[in-house]
Structures are given as structure tokens and as C-alpha cells.
Amino acid sequence: MARMVIALGGNALGKTPAEQKKAVKNTATALANLIEEGHELILTHGNGPQVGMINLAFENSADNGDGTPEMPFPECGAMSQGYIGFHLQNAIGEELRERGINKTVSTVITQVVVAYDDPAFQNPSKPIGNFYRREEAERYSRAKGYQMIEDAGRGYRRVVPSPLPVDIVEKKVIETLLKIGEIVISCGGGGIPVIRQGNKLLAVSAVIDKDYVGEKLAEVLAADFLVILTAVERVALNYGQKDQQWLSSLEVATAKRYCEEGHFAAGSMLPKIKAAIEFAESGPGRKTLITSLEKVQDGLSGKTGTVITVETG
Ligand code: ADP
Ligand code: MG
């Protein structure tokens, strides 16, 4: 029996409400298998498409002048945590009841502290929301103070910073829920980024990477395992090329070298490997498994997946 933080990738949730309702059933089956084996689970997940949808709906509606207020980005993030948690907790809850497992699931709306002087604030890099034509983009930039960039020839988009997670505001609540046997969903979409200002938590328009926040959760909760579930069964060297080579284990020093050699794409596999390195170095025996949702049990029993540790496994 192990305590594990499980970071769910985009494929565990789908993109629309209908897609998500279907996807979470599949996700629930895989997770219930782990719960049935006696593991203690803390779940986190991405929210790119969901927060994009919420943000876009509000932006369009507010622009149409029908009285819908502007919805700040942190509020959109909070809504996405609620909406995703709602589907996930119900799907897992149902699966557990069907198996006669007497456990319940709850979602914690989670805020994650970031540093006011994080260099990411000087260099916003994460595109969000709608695509605009140049003139519109300039208008938005002036009117709302948004930073806009040209996104791969598809138009102009707002960009927000992607700071590193420093601490999890609701960590005590999460720990308490775990102690009473609850399955906890938290830090959805990387958490709502906040800056501490005296007694205040100042929410900022930014996106924390969900793989990094999964690592922070695993560290803070002293988990045995960080499990990153994504669309691939294993991490590869020379991914997508002729000489592609799947890895079953990866030692931290080697992982660092591969990062420098550019084996892992920024914004997809790189943050997962960096999170794994950070977790391995945060305490003895801490391991990260990267695999697919379907293969998670096989991955935990060493049959597949890529395991990242300090020593060679
Ligand atoms: P998630 O929503 O799970 O975070 P991402 O698309 O961000 O999904 O990251 C996972 C993807 O990273 C994989 O589906 C794969 O296409 C890509 N990828 C990039 N480099 C590698 C690599 N070296 N090995 C395996 N997958 C890689
Ligand atoms: Mg990703």
C-alpha cells in the first residue's frame, strides 16, 4: 500500500462536457483498480481545454454587450476545478459503490502560492483564450492591459505567465481528508495561482504547470509515488524518430543529461521529467512513474512505464 499523487493528463478528461463525462468513466475504472489494491490516492489534473472554454464563453458573452460581466482568469480556473472535480468525483464514487468499496471522493478548490518575483512574470509564455486579428489584439492590449502574442500563424492570443508552485494553501485540509480515508482531487489545472500579501491571498492571471504542481503535492504530502498519466505508455529517447527508444527506467543524473540534449519536448514531456527529477531529489526512495492511464497497474508492478529514481532501478 502506497500513498500516490496521480496527475491526470488531458486524455483522461476530453474536451467538452459530453466528452468529459464519458472519459471520466474510463479514468474512474483505472483509478478504482488502484484504490481496490489499497493505495491512498491524491488526484490532480490539467484544465487547458476546460478553462479555455469557460474563459472564451465569458469573453464572447461580455463582448456581445448582453450584460455578462468580465470574468477574471483566476475565477475561470476556480470554475474549471469545480466542473472537472464534479465529474471526476461522481464517476469514481459510482465505480467504488459498484465494487462495494466504502470510500468517498471529494474535490478541494485549491490555491497554490507562487513567488511575486518569479521570473515567469517578466516573460509571459502560456497562450490562453481566443484568437484575434492584429487590430483587435492591439485594442485588447490597450483596453485590458493584456499581453498578446502571435501564436504560430493562427492569430494573436493573450499570454499569461507560468510561475513555479511554492506551496499549497489548502494542504492541511487535503491531509486531513486523506487521514479519514477520503480520495482527494486537488490543485486542478495547476491550482489557482496566488501571491501572499500579508493576510491576503492575491489571485493572479497565470497558469501553473500541472506536472509541477503534482510534484509539489507529492512532496508536501510525503507521497511514495508521483504517477504521471498521459497519452504514451513510456518515455522515449529520440521520440517520434526512426531510432526511437522506449525507456523503462531513468536515473536522475541521466535524465538531466537527456533534458539538456533536448530529448523531451518543452510544454509536454519536459515538465514531466523535470517534475520527476525534483521529486526524486526531494527525499529518499521517492519515485515517479510515467505511463498511460490504461497501463497504470502494469506500470506500478514494473511491467511497463518509465520509472525515474535517484538510483538505477
Ligand atoms: P498531458 O495532457 O498528459 O500533459 P502532453 O501532451 O502535455 O499531455 O504530454 C504528453 C505527450 O508528450 C505525449 O503524448 C507525447 O506525444 C509527447 N512527448 C514529447 N516528447 C516525448 C518523449 N521523449 N517521450 C514520450 N513522449 C513524448
Ligand atoms: Mg501537458
Side-chain angles (χ1 to χ4, degrees):
M1 187 255 172
R3 174 177 282 198
M4 42 185 84
V5 168
I6 303 199
L8 300 169
N11 64 328
L13 299 171
K15 292 193 166 76
T16 63
E19 236 178 78
Q20 183 170 288
K21 255 198 157 161
K22 206 166 148 216
V24 292
K25 275 189 191 283
N26 197 32
T27 305
T29 309
L31 297 176
N33 290 338
L34 305 183
I35 298 165
E36 200 158 23
E37 287 179 352
H39 299 303
E40 201 179 15
L41 303 193
I42 305 99
L43 309 173
T44 189
H45 56 81
N47 75 341
Q50 295 84 358
V51 77
M53 170 185 76
I54 294 166
N55 182 58
L56 193 60
F58 274 103
E59 248 175 41
N60 286 340
S61 196
D63 288 352
N64 284 344
D66 61 3
T68 305
E70 299 249 345
M71 193 55 65
F73 193 70
E75 277 75 355
C76 293
M79 289 181 193
S80 79
Q81 286 188 350
Y83 151 63
I84 296 168
F86 160 56
H87 276 180
L88 260 183
Q89 74 186 34
N90 282 346
I92 302 166
E94 187 179 321
E95 183 67 29
L96 294 178
R97 287 190 293 280
E98 270 170 18
R99 296 184 190 204
I101 300 170
N102 186 23
K103 272 184 173 288
T104 47
V105 191
S106 40
T107 303
V108 178
I109 300 298
T110 325
Q111 303 172 88
V112 174
V113 178
V114 297
Y116 77 95
D117 57 353
D118 190 305
F121 287 111
Q122 305 308 319
N123 180 29
S125 59
K126 179 92 186 158
I128 57 163
N130 221 341
F131 290 91
Y132 297 99
R133 281 175 289 119
R134 191 191 179 127
E135 314 77 67
E136 285 177 308
E138 281 167 359
R139 189 160 48 81
Y140 270 114
S141 185
R142 272 195 306 272
K144 303 186 186 184
Y146 293 172
Q147 205 154 335
M148 314 286 286
I149 59 151
E150 219 275 324
D151 191 354
R154 296 178 296 175
Y156 286 79
R157 277 180 106 182
R158 180 181 178 195
V159 278
V160 296
S162 189
L164 291 173
V166 173
D167 197 13
I168 294 158
V169 177
E170 289 79 12
K171 63 187 173 192
K172 276 193 186 148
V173 179
I174 300 168
E175 184 74 65
T176 306
L177 287 168
L178 289 174
K179 277 204 185 106
I180 58 166
E182 196 76 5
I183 316 294
V184 185
I185 301 164
S186 70
C187 297
I192 303 155
V194 294
I195 292 172
R196 278 197 195 283
Q197 234 176 33
N199 287 328
K200 287 198 180 110
L201 294 172
L202 183 74
V204 289
S205 294
V207 175
I208 304 169
D209 185 281
K210 75 111 175 38
D211 298 315
Y212 292 156
V213 97
E215 189 283 326
K216 185 57 73 181
L217 255 179
E219 213 181 286
V220 162
L221 300 170
D224 309 292
F225 254 108
L226 169 62
V227 180
I228 302 180
L229 300 182
T230 186
V232 286
E233 195 176 321
R234 278 188 164 148
V235 178
L237 289 186
N238 307 311
Y239 179 70
Q241 294 166 43
K242 267 203 188 127
D243 53 349
Q244 169 175 284
Q245 188 191 334
W246 297 111
L247 302 171
S248 58
S249 64
L250 189 51
E251 194 267 328
V252 159
T254 319
K256 286 181 182 169
R257 183 158 57 79
Y258 291 158
C259 286
E260 281 167 20
E261 289 172 6
H263 284 283
F264 313 122
S268 61
M269 191 48 76
L270 189 62
K272 300 184 200 314
I273 303 291
K274 285 192 169 170
I277 293 170
E278 182 99 8
F279 186 53
E281 289 182 335
S282 73
R286 293 182 171 178
K287 290 182 189 177
T288 300
L289 166 68
I290 301 177
T291 193
S292 66
L293 187 67
E294 291 72 26
K295 298 286 179 171
V296 63
Q297 271 183 303
D298 283 350
L300 287 169
S301 56
K303 287 184 204 139
T304 187
T306 306
V307 175
I308 298 99
T309 52
V310 168
E311 280 99 24
T312 324

